[in-house]
Structures are given as C-alpha cells and as structure tokens.
C-alpha cells in the first residue's frame, strides 16, 4: 500500500488522543452490578505503548457514518471470536462486507509475521472510529499503528465505485454477521441456529453513543477467556453513554464470549437497521430456548440514580 511506503519518511503527525479518563468511574458502577467479566475490563484504546497516527488526505472522500459503524462492528465481532493475542493470518488483510461493497478496510503488518497482532486491529479501529466520531470527519483515510513509538503496521479505510476493480493484495476476508437474525414477531420454526427477540424502551441515545459503546464492548469481550462461562458481562467506551449489559437467563452461568459477541453486534445491527437508538433489550435464543438477555442502556441514566438501569436482564 502507498501509505506504508511513507511510514518512516513522512506523515502529517496528528495524534489520536486517548480517552481513558473516567474508566474507573464506570468500573465502580459495573462492580456494583456483580459484572464479574467487566469489573477489570481493559481500555478499548489499548495500553500506553500503543499509538495511532493518521495521514493527511489531500482529496478526502466522505464515508457514510452509519455504514462505517455497522461495517466496523461486524468486522470486530467476527475477529472477536478468534485469539485476541494471536496474529492475523496474512501480512495484508482486506476486509469486505457484502452489504457495503464500496468499502474496504485493509490491515498491513510491517514487523510482525504472518500478520499484525489481532489486538492492534482492535485497538486501532477503536481509536480510529473514536477519532472520526469526535471530529465528525468520516472520511476514507490511512493510519499508522505504532508500538513504543515505532511503526508496526497500518490500517486504511478506502472507497471504490462499482465500476472499479478491487485493487488489493494479500488475504481477503468476507464478513458475515455472527449469528442469524430474527425479529421477535417472526415465527421461531428453526431450532438449529441463534435467534433474537428485540424490544426498544427507555431513553433515546445517539447513534454515536450506541455504536461506540458497542465497539468498546467488542474489544473487551474479545479478551474473555474462550471457554469461560459467567453470569454477566458489562462493557462500553468512555465517554459514550451506551453501556452493553448481558446476563445468563435462568440462573445458570452460560454466558460465554461467543454469546456476548453475538448479542453486542445484534443489538447494534438492529438499532442501525431500524434507525432507532432508544435503549434496547434483546433476548438470545439457542435451539428455541432463551439463554441470555441484555442489550444496551443509557449510563448515566436520565433519571436520578441507577436503579438497576445498567443491567436490563430479568429473572
């Protein structure tokens, strides 16, 4: 990629600022709800050794905000089911979502083989979309990823028109949603796949709150030990107001990484598809039986006090 050639020569150094302040406040609130997977949640933006810079774009191309939110949450949900501490399988990875065929996200590794650390993909996308959101600059851009101040790789969001060929090298990843979606009103006549029931309620949030909260929760959920089953998960992205909260249904600790990831992505997808960003309750059904319940809620709530608003589950 062209932008990688200039990593050591030139970039318009614009740091993407950290947003770690306030994390302790959320941790203390979540601890009060016995969210054992979330009380020590890592920051979505990664450790202090990790940094992101973006390149000046002389002819910026605007990208649709909701499409990018949906694309990135789908991509992170797919990668969250893999080894967070592992490496991507290729030096250059091109991610495609068939719903948005004009958008490509490319991950390049400079110093790691076979590919960049998956953790860098998560931290990098969290910082990049956070930066776009805070600056209201949703444009096709290239970004340098640094580890301890040294270039380690790059991420780029590119656009192409339908008559252009996909110009990419390396490994292509075709994204599919993690789990099959089904509305609450649809007939549950299938017993061999995941289904969902949805219900909007409560306070209205912004699309930024909902989607950034989901991105933060996916970065955190990706780090759950794979075979761990717990009662609850709560995650988000300070300072955005949507908090993802999920719990086992029926008193058994059946909430694992895959179920949390499916729920987080499904709640976000459903909100975007319906262009409705009220608080959302979702039930996850496996084989026609409810296994988990949750969704996103507003934190801090508009009403005084928490009063159980962080966790939407009911027994």
């Amino acid at each position: 990629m062209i932008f990688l050639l200039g990593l050591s020569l030139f970039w318009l150094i614009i740091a993407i600022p950290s947003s770690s302040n306030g994390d302790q406040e959320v941790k203390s609130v979540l601890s009060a709800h016995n969210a054992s997977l979330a009380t020590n949640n890592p920051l979505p933006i990664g450790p202090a050794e990790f940094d992101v810079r973006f390149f000046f774009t002389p002819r910026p191309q605007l990208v649709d905000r909701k499409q990018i939110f949906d694309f990135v949450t789908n991509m992170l949900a797919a990668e969250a089911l893999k080894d967070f501490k592992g490496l991507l399988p290729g030096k250059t990875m091109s991610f495609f979502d068939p719903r948005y065929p004009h958008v490509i996200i490319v991950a390049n590794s400079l110093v790691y083989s076979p590919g960049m650390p998956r953790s860098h993909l998560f931290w990098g996308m969290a910082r990049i979309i956070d930066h776009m959101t805070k600056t209201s600059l949703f444009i096709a851009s290239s970004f340098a990823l640094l580890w301890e101040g040294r270039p380690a790789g790059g991420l780029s969001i590119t656009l192409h028109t339908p008559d252009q060929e996909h110009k990419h090298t390396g490994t292509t990843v075709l994204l599919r949603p993690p789990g099959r979606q089904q509305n609450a009103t649809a007939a549950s006549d299938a017993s061999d796949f995941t289904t969902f029931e949805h219900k909007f309620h409560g306070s209205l949030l912004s699309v930024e709150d909902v989607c950034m909260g989901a991105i933060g929760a996916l970065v955190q959920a990706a780090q759950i030990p794979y075979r761990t089953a717990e009662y609850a998960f709560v995650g988000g992205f300070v300072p955005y107001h949507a908090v993802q909260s999920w719990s086992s249904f029926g008193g058994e600790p059946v909430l694992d990484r895959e179920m949390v990831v499916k729920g987080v992505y499904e709640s976000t997808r459903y909100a975007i598809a319906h262009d409705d960003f009220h608080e959302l309750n979702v039930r996850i059904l496996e084989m026609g039986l409810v296994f988990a319940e949750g969704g996103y809620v507003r934190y801090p709530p508009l009403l005084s006090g928490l009063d159980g608003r962080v966790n939407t589950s009911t027994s």
Side-chain angles (χ1 to χ4, degrees), residues 79 86-91 93 95 107-108 113-118 121:
E79 292 299 315
L87 301 175
L88 297 182
K91 202 80 170 177
M93 304 286 295
F95 294 88
N108 291 277
S113 182
M116 85 165 47
R118 190 166 282 106
L121 175 69

Side-chain angles (χ1 to χ4, degrees), residues 19 25 27 79 95 104 136 144 161 163 168 190 211 235 238 242 264 272 310:
S19 59
E25 178 187 13
K27 285 181 180 178
E79 292 299 315
F95 294 88
I104 310 170
S136 298
T161 58
D163 58 336
H168 66 278
C211 295
V238 175
V264 171
I272 293 174
V310 169

Side-chain angles (χ1 to χ4, degrees), residues 180-191 193 195-197 285 288:
R180 180 172 173 178
Q181 290 77 38
Q182 182 167 310
N183 293 337
T185 56
S188 299
D189 56 356
S191 59
F193 55 79
T195 58
F196 304 92
E197 295 177 349
L285 296 84

Side-chain angles (χ1 to χ4, degrees), residues 209-226:
D209 282 328
V210 171
C211 295
M212 292 307 302
I215 288 173
L218 287 170
V219 178
Q220 294 156 349
Q223 299 174 67
I224 299 173
Y226 189 74

Side-chain angles (χ1 to χ4, degrees), residues 33 85 131 148 187 204 214 254 264 301 303:
H33 289 264
K85 296 181 180 179
H131 173 74
E148 295 182 337
L204 178 65
V254 298
V264 171
L303 301 177

Side-chain angles (χ1 to χ4, degrees), residues 53-104:
R53 300 286 190 271
F54 76 87
F55 295 93
F56 174 72
T57 305
R59 295 179 180 178
Q61 293 177 287
L62 295 177
V63 295
D64 184 272
R65 178 184 53 166
K66 291 180 182 177
Q67 290 183 9
I68 286 298
F69 280 142
D70 199 11
F71 189 121
V72 171
T73 52
N74 190 18
M75 180 179 75
L76 296 184
E79 292 299 315
L81 301 179
K82 303 171 185 177
D83 182 8
F84 183 81
K85 296 181 180 179
L87 301 175
L88 297 182
K91 202 80 170 177
T92 300
M93 304 286 295
S94 298
F95 294 88
F96 296 89
D97 188 322
R99 300 169 302 167
Y100 311 115
H102 57 290
V103 181
I104 310 170

Side-chain angles (χ1 to χ4, degrees), residues 23-257:
D23 185 63
Q24 283 302 121
E25 178 187 13
V26 170
K27 285 181 180 178
S28 64
V29 171
L30 304 185
S31 297
H33 289 264
N34 298 316
S36 57
L37 290 181
T39 51
N40 293 308
N41 265 357
L43 296 176
I45 60 173
E49 295 87 351
F50 182 78
D51 202 2
V52 175
R53 300 286 190 271
F54 76 87
F55 295 93
F56 174 72
T57 305
R59 295 179 180 178
Q61 293 177 287
L62 295 177
V63 295
D64 184 272
R65 178 184 53 166
K66 291 180 182 177
Q67 290 183 9
I68 286 298
F69 280 142
D70 199 11
F71 189 121
V72 171
T73 52
N74 190 18
M75 180 179 75
L76 296 184
E79 292 299 315
L81 301 179
K82 303 171 185 177
D83 182 8
F84 183 81
K85 296 181 180 179
L87 301 175
L88 297 182
K91 202 80 170 177
T92 300
M93 304 286 295
S94 298
F95 294 88
F96 296 89
D97 188 322
R99 300 169 302 167
Y100 311 115
H102 57 290
V103 181
I104 310 170
I105 294 181
V106 180
N108 291 277
S109 176
L110 283 181
V111 298
Y112 299 96
S113 182
M116 85 165 47
R118 190 166 282 106
S119 58
H120 288 198
L121 175 69
F122 277 89
W123 298 333
M125 291 311 308
R127 289 203 184 200
I128 288 166
I129 305 304
D130 178 49
H131 173 74
M132 288 184 171
T133 300
K134 289 178 176 176
T135 60
S136 298
L137 289 175
F138 285 83
I139 59 176
S141 309
S142 296
F143 303 83
L145 308 184
L146 289 77
W147 183 257
E148 295 182 337
R150 298 180 179 179
L155 289 169
S156 65
I157 300 174
T158 62
L159 297 177
H160 68 91
T161 58
D163 58 336
Q164 291 176 317
E165 293 185 4
H166 292 278
K167 295 181 179 180
H168 66 278
T169 58
T171 304
T172 299
V173 180
L174 184 64
L175 298 171
R176 299 292 187 187
R180 180 172 173 178
Q181 290 77 38
Q182 182 167 310
N183 293 337
T185 56
S188 299
D189 56 356
S191 59
D192 59 347
F193 55 79
T194 304
T195 58
F196 304 92
E197 295 177 349
H198 317 80
K199 182 180 180 181
F200 288 111
H201 65 97
S203 302
L204 178 65
L205 296 103
S206 68
V207 59
E208 293 84 2
D209 282 328
V210 171
C211 295
M212 292 307 302
I215 288 173
L218 287 170
V219 178
Q220 294 156 349
Q223 299 174 67
I224 299 173
Y226 189 74
R227 296 189 181 277
T228 297
E230 294 283 351
Y231 289 100
F233 169 88
V234 184
F237 198 144
V238 175
Y240 301 98
H241 293 298
V243 173
Q244 286 277 344
S245 174
W246 296 87
S247 64
S248 297
F249 190 89
E252 296 295 327
V254 298
L255 199 65
D256 59 14
R257 185 204 305 182

